[in-house]
Amino acid sequence: MILESTHRPLTPAEQRLLGARIRDLESRVARGPAVLIPGVAVIAILWTATLLLSDASWWIVSSFWIVVGGGILLWVSRDLKKDLAGLRIVLAECESACRRNEAEDFRIEATAFAEFEEVEDEGACYAFEIDGRRLVFVSGQQFYPQARFPSLDFSLVHLLNERGEPVDGVIAKRGPAVSADLVIPAIVKRGLEIPEHLEVLDGTIHQIEEVLER
């Protein structure tokens, strides 16, 4: 079972965050073609230097740099086109989320939590005890310790596009950062079946090994 969520309008802070994200993407898209200018300048400098220093005829030098320089610029242009296409897709999704103005809010008010040591590079992983009888699991690269997180009172907020799909996520922090009540060593974690992100299981953090061994 996945943790229940509520839907609500974006807060002013979330609207500002989304607006800043849109402006940053617009700026990166607009600056994209300018990436080629330094490359053209470097090739022109090398072309000129080769003409001045080489004993080869000008047409051999020029042919070389037309072929080599053109190939380099074509390769860079192809990668740039792909990157800009990806940025435009992300920008369109953020603009869609701005128009929809809706968030999916997964609120977590816990009494204690356990932290799992990282085994490889799978990201941070926690089990928060809620209602004194259930565990909700939070995991991912974006959940490493930071200012006021992990805490016992926060929300994981998904900003939704016009299709109702999440395009970005933020942690809405309401409480101070706290230390884990229990740390599960990596060697123990290897033998446990870790639930999916936001999955809820019955149990408490002191039953966690028994719960996950089942």
Side-chain angles (χ1 to χ4, degrees):
M1 182 179 68
I2 299 299
L3 182 68
E4 293 182 359
S5 62
T6 59
H7 287 244
R8 57 167 176 76
L10 301 182
T11 65
E14 290 162 354
Q15 291 173 339
R16 288 193 297 272
L17 179 67
L18 192 54
R21 174 83 163 138
I22 289 171
R23 290 190 295 275
D24 176 63
L25 288 166
E26 289 174 336
S27 176
R28 291 167 64 186
V29 169
R31 293 196 312 266
V35 172
L36 295 176
I37 295 175
V40 172
V42 169
I43 291 171
I45 291 170
L46 292 174
W47 187 343
T48 303
T50 308
L51 284 172
L52 294 174
L53 300 174
S54 175
D55 294 331
S57 62
W58 69 269
W59 65 268
I60 292 177
V61 172
S62 298
S63 298
F64 172 82
W65 280 110
I66 288 173
V67 172
V68 174
I72 292 173
L73 290 177
L74 182 63
W75 175 63
V76 173
S77 297
R78 183 186 61 188
D79 286 352
L80 177 62
K81 183 178 180 181
K82 186 185 301 183
D83 291 343
L84 288 176
L87 287 175
R88 290 189 181 100
I89 290 173
V90 176
L91 174 59
E93 292 292 280
C94 289
E95 290 173 337
S96 177
C98 190
R99 290 191 295 269
R100 181 176 179 114
N101 189 38
E102 184 177 359
E104 184 178 22
D105 190 318
F106 294 88
R107 179 156 191 172
I108 295 176
E109 294 179 277
T111 53
F113 80 98
E115 179 178 358
F116 295 84
E117 289 185 350
E118 203 168 8
V119 174
E120 293 178 351
D121 191 30
E122 71 273 48
C125 183
Y126 311 97
F128 292 91
E129 185 177 315
I130 56 176
D131 305 329
R133 57 184 177 82
R134 295 190 300 160
L135 297 168
V136 56
F137 292 81
V138 172
S139 58
Q141 297 282 348
Q142 66 272 42
F143 300 118
Y144 287 116
Q146 54 189 272
R148 297 176 60 199
F149 184 84
S151 75
L152 298 178
D153 189 3
F154 64 96
S155 285
L156 303 183
V157 181
H158 296 167
L159 311 184
L160 305 178
N161 62 18
E162 290 166 300
R163 299 186 303 278
E165 301 166 342
V167 301
D168 203 352
V170 297
I171 304 175
K173 307 160 187 172
R174 285 179 293 272
V178 295
S179 299
D181 297 87
L182 177 68
V183 177
I184 308 297
I187 192 171
V188 175
K189 182 184 177 184
R190 289 179 187 273
L192 304 178
E193 185 174 349
I194 305 299
E196 296 294 324
H197 176 57
L198 292 178
E199 187 172 347
V200 178
L201 297 179
D202 291 332
T204 68
I205 62 168
H206 298 294
Q207 302 169 324
I208 198 163
E209 291 185 40
E210 178 186 354
V211 169
L212 298 186
E213 283 173 354
R214 291 204 300 262

